Amino acid sequence: MLNVRPQDAVTAADTSALPAPPVPAGGRVEVEEAEAALVEHYPRLVRIAYLVLPPTLGRNRRVLTAHALAQRSLPRGRGTVSDGGDAVVPRARRPEGSPDPGYAFVRERVLRQALEAGLPLRRAAWPRRAQLPPLLPHIWGLRVFPRSGGADELALDQRLSALSGPARAAYVLRGLERLPDARVRDVLAAAGAADPGAALAEADAVPGGRKAAALLDSPEFDPCCLQVRPTDLMRRRRHARAGLVAGAALAVCGALLGQPGGGWGADGAAAPLYARHPAAEAALDPGRLTRVAPGAWRQSARRDFSVWPARGPLVDDSGLLRRALAVWARPGATVRVSATPATPSGPPAGPPQLLFAGEVDGARVVLLHDGLRVARYAEPRDGSPGAALDFARTDGADAASAAALVAGRAGGTVRYLTAPWVREVSVRDLLSPAAGPRPLRRDADGLTAPLPSPAQARTCRAWQALEAGEEGGGARVLTDLGELTPARLTFGPPAAAKDATGPAARASWARTACSLSGVRSHGVRGVNAWEYARQKLPEANGTAAWLCTRAETWRGTGGRVMAQFHAPADRPAAPGTVVARAEDAPSCGVREPRVLAGVLWKSQAGQWYVLAAGSGQFASLTVSGGVAGESAGPVLAVRARAGARAELNGTLADGTRVRALH
């Protein structure tokens, strides 16, 4: 399933995203949407929490608790936040002026926690998390508090401290958020306030009117702009002495316990040896690493990672290779280990194959392959402690999926190590389909110069992909999704997909590339975009395209499917509208090369329609529920009203009834 923020409607003249309304009953908010709202409005959310928290906590704890509540306001897990409701035909656009649903959702969670923090502790019940001092963020040795304001701010703070928690929340929602009383009641009720009406009445008693409410924007109430002062210095000095004594004792004990097996100095950041086994020790011997000859790939019957030669200026650095193998077998506490989903991170069964050893962006990097996985070991070039160990599953690789590996990332850029059969590389911005590729430098070992990494970008203003031209002709389009193996991008029907290098492929990917952010760090092997239908829109509003995008994984399971509606747009990179998503579904794949999806669409004249399209296997479509209609063929258009809910089904040529993708 590709996670992209859905729209409520799409017009033929404009497909830009508009803000969403608050989450209604049965409404949905994507976790990514809530995260984006939290990042964008973080200072405002922290200010709301600071103003609603009880003043009895003290300014230092109020500041830290406000930040903690805002940072804990995201829902757990991934995917969609929903309070119920069945699958329906999604709306493709919403009316202007509606607030951001992600911000409304996060604000409600912040308010709920802030109100819970003001509840009295009871002996008969466990305290709630918001009532306890926050573990994070935490500051040692300093006390923090907002800048001091004038006499008016001090007077307002004293008046607010005399109010109850719900009354403070009501005053803040009216004064800072500028919500009408009806919306304030709804928000307070959703946040768990027992009597929103009484809270509003209590907030009315605060004198000063709008002039006093405007002070809520002042630095006096800004927990993101802080002053610091030291804590009790004498008491801290006594605690520091006790900590030094305890630390020295722990260091002595650790030195005594870490000595068996000959110590671990030569193994770098690896943990101490815990067993002696001939096969395990052979896998840790740099002299037994498999090294493929430089020209072996030309005579081999296969082209994958097993025929990559050992490259890089440090392939003979036995000390570096020994540390890499030891950390792979026994990663210590200072080693950051990551792995793609369903990829084991245990030691190799035997001596692995050396692919690369060299310096990349201030780190010494070693790439190893054991037939199932690629492992990347990286340590600081300056010898400082710590290391990184990354794993990616690569079983079943072929010439296309083994065309490149990520050698390093730094400063928002990525560098690739290309396969020996790649003769040239270039960079192409997927959001600019008419622009040509830009040449990319590559050294004699196949290591490319840095290029912008879309996996680390916070916005989607550009999507830089790597084009790798191979010997014998042809080119691969690869993109960084935050893992060791870049994902291959293709275009076309599932059984005949080709690399996304043609004009039609570039035009479709220009409106689809930003949706790739929904499959970052998911173990994706390749993503195919398939334009399965084109539909003439009612009222001569042009022609729309229907696309199905499928992300396949290295592990075989967990593939994500997304259907998009591409209405006519003024910009070639205008993002399409996501109308259906699924995970672990066979749709749009080789096993089931068909798909059916629908959308609620508004014409330029303001008339609403239910539009639907299926792939060529569908003989007829029917829509029922709030809208009724049918069509003989794979496309359908039925008049509807705004907000209509409908169920979409299709019938194949053999009479099989198929539901829409959801």
Side-chain angles (χ1 to χ4, degrees):
M1 180 177 71
L2 296 176
N3 292 327
V4 176
R5 181 187 301 179
Q7 300 171 326
D8 286 345
V10 166
T11 65
D14 183 9
T15 57
S16 59
L18 295 177
V23 182
R28 299 168 295 179
V29 172
E30 300 296 328
V31 174
E32 291 83 359
E33 190 174 5
E35 181 183 9
L38 174 62
V39 173
E40 181 179 0
H41 303 289
Y42 183 82
R44 191 173 190 86
L45 294 167
V46 177
R47 185 188 290 261
I48 291 173
Y50 179 81
L51 288 166
V52 177
L53 284 169
T56 54
L57 296 178
R59 291 197 293 174
N60 180 74
R61 182 172 167 186
R62 279 175 72 191
V63 167
L64 298 180
T65 303
H67 283 273
L69 298 186
Q71 294 171 18
R72 294 203 300 256
S73 59
L74 282 181
R76 297 176 180 176
R78 307 292 297 174
T80 303
V81 181
S82 175
D83 57 351
D86 300 326
V88 298
V89 177
R91 295 175 295 170
R93 189 173 183 177
R94 54 181 68 88
E96 292 184 333
S98 300
D100 180 6
Y103 175 70
F105 176 83
V106 176
R107 180 182 63 192
E108 176 191 320
R109 291 176 68 95
V110 169
L111 284 172
R112 179 181 295 274
Q113 295 178 88
L115 293 176
E116 289 175 354
L119 297 176
L121 293 173
R122 298 178 181 177
R123 293 184 179 180
W126 287 98
R128 302 189 182 186
R129 186 178 182 184
Q131 296 174 283
L132 301 175
L135 295 177
L136 291 174
H138 199 89
I139 300 176
W140 292 93
L142 292 173
R143 300 185 65 81
V144 296
F145 49 90
R147 295 179 178 273
S148 299
D152 293 339
E153 288 86 353
L154 179 61
L156 178 60
D157 189 41
Q158 292 174 347
R159 296 185 188 112
L160 291 178
S161 65
L163 300 179
S164 64
R168 282 194 301 273
Y171 190 85
V172 170
L173 290 174
R174 282 202 300 198
L176 187 63
E177 296 291 85
R178 295 176 175 81
L179 298 182
D181 286 358
R183 286 285 298 119
V184 171
R185 288 190 182 92
D186 294 340
V187 174
L188 288 178
D195 192 349
L200 279 169
E202 186 179 355
D204 288 334
V206 178
R210 294 184 178 178
K211 181 178 179 181
L215 296 175
L216 297 176
D217 279 316
S218 69
E220 170 77 10
F221 307 108
D222 185 5
C224 292
C225 184
L226 303 171
Q227 292 180 319
V228 295
R229 293 292 185 271
T231 56
D232 188 333
L233 298 178
M234 295 301 297
R235 183 174 61 179
R236 192 172 73 191
R237 186 174 297 173
R238 292 193 297 268
H239 289 176
R241 289 173 185 156
L244 286 174
V245 174
L250 287 175
V252 172
C253 294
L256 294 175
L257 294 175
Q259 290 304 314
W264 55 314
D267 294 340
L273 287 169
Y274 48 83
R276 294 284 190 184
H277 189 276
E281 291 188 345
L284 301 180
D285 186 357
R288 299 192 182 186
L289 283 171
T290 301
R291 298 171 185 253
V292 177
W297 63 273
R298 297 183 182 276
Q299 289 77 35
S300 175
R302 54 192 291 183
R303 284 192 179 182
D304 55 17
F305 294 110
S306 66
V307 294
W308 274 36
R311 292 173 289 173
L314 301 180
V315 291
D316 295 322
D317 188 336
S318 60
L320 172 64
L321 300 179
R322 182 181 300 278
R323 291 192 297 274
L325 293 170
V327 169
W328 186 353
R330 310 183 311 277
T334 61
V335 179
R336 178 186 58 81
V337 180
S338 68
T340 55
T343 303
S345 58
Q353 175 189 352
L354 176 62
L355 304 180
F356 175 82
E359 293 186 355
V360 181
D361 296 328
R364 294 189 183 94
V365 174
V366 179
L367 290 172
L368 301 165
H369 179 241
D370 69 349
L372 172 67
R373 304 161 293 172
V374 167
R376 176 184 179 271
Y377 168 82
E379 65 179 26
R381 185 172 56 184
D382 58 7
S384 57
L389 186 62
D390 305 312
F391 294 94
R393 189 166 173 172
T394 58
D395 51 319
D398 54 16
S401 53
L405 287 173
V406 172
R409 295 186 184 89
T413 64
V414 60
R415 300 182 68 180
Y416 296 99
L417 181 69
T418 57
W421 53 84
V422 172
R423 56 182 173 82
E424 62 180 2
V425 291
S426 57
V427 182
R428 186 183 291 276
D429 184 0
L430 296 182
L431 302 190
S432 300
R438 305 189 310 275
L440 182 66
R441 290 186 297 104
R442 187 175 56 147
D443 65 16
D445 293 319
L447 184 65
T448 70
L451 67 150
S453 169
Q456 303 176 68
R458 295 186 177 181
T459 60
C460 190
R461 296 190 179 98
W463 196 284
Q464 308 294 339
L466 180 75
E467 280 198 2
E470 299 183 357
E471 289 200 2
R476 313 294 181 189
V477 181
L478 308 172
T479 186
D480 180 22
L481 293 181
E483 298 169 327
L484 276 178
T485 52
R488 179 191 179 195
L489 303 183
T490 56
F491 178 79
K498 298 181 180 180
D499 290 279
T501 56
R506 290 198 294 269
S508 294
W509 271 109
R511 304 189 64 178
T512 309
C514 290
S515 64
L516 290 172
S517 59
V519 292
R520 290 173 179 167
S521 303
H522 190 62
V524 173
R525 177 173 182 161
V527 186
N528 182 57
W530 171 33
E531 184 181 298
Y532 67 89
R534 295 188 70 85
Q535 181 178 20
K536 290 186 177 180
L537 298 176
E539 303 178 16
N541 277 190
T543 301
W546 292 84
L547 266 76
C548 189
T549 306
R550 181 178 182 87
E552 297 285 3
T553 66
W554 284 96
R555 61 190 181 276
T557 59
R560 292 182 176 178
V561 182
M562 176 184 69
Q564 277 192 348
F565 175 72
H566 289 185
D570 297 332
R571 296 183 297 112
T577 301
V578 178
V579 298
R581 284 167 293 187
E583 185 162 355
D584 265 338
S587 301
C588 300
V590 177
R591 290 189 296 116
E592 190 176 288
R594 65 172 185 261
V595 63
L596 171 64
V599 68
L600 188 63
W601 172 84
K602 185 169 69 173
S603 70
Q604 293 177 349
Q607 175 62 48
W608 289 89
Y609 291 86
V610 168
L611 304 180
S615 49
Q617 301 92 328
F618 286 88
S620 63
L621 306 180
T622 59
V623 62
S624 58
V627 180
E630 61 181 347
S631 71
V635 295
L636 173 145
V638 180
R639 285 178 176 264
R641 63 181 185 279
R645 292 170 173 257
E647 181 179 343
L648 177 64
N649 293 281
T651 303
L652 303 179
D654 62 0
T656 303
R657 188 175 176 84
V658 178
R659 296 184 62 188
L661 181 71
H662 66 279

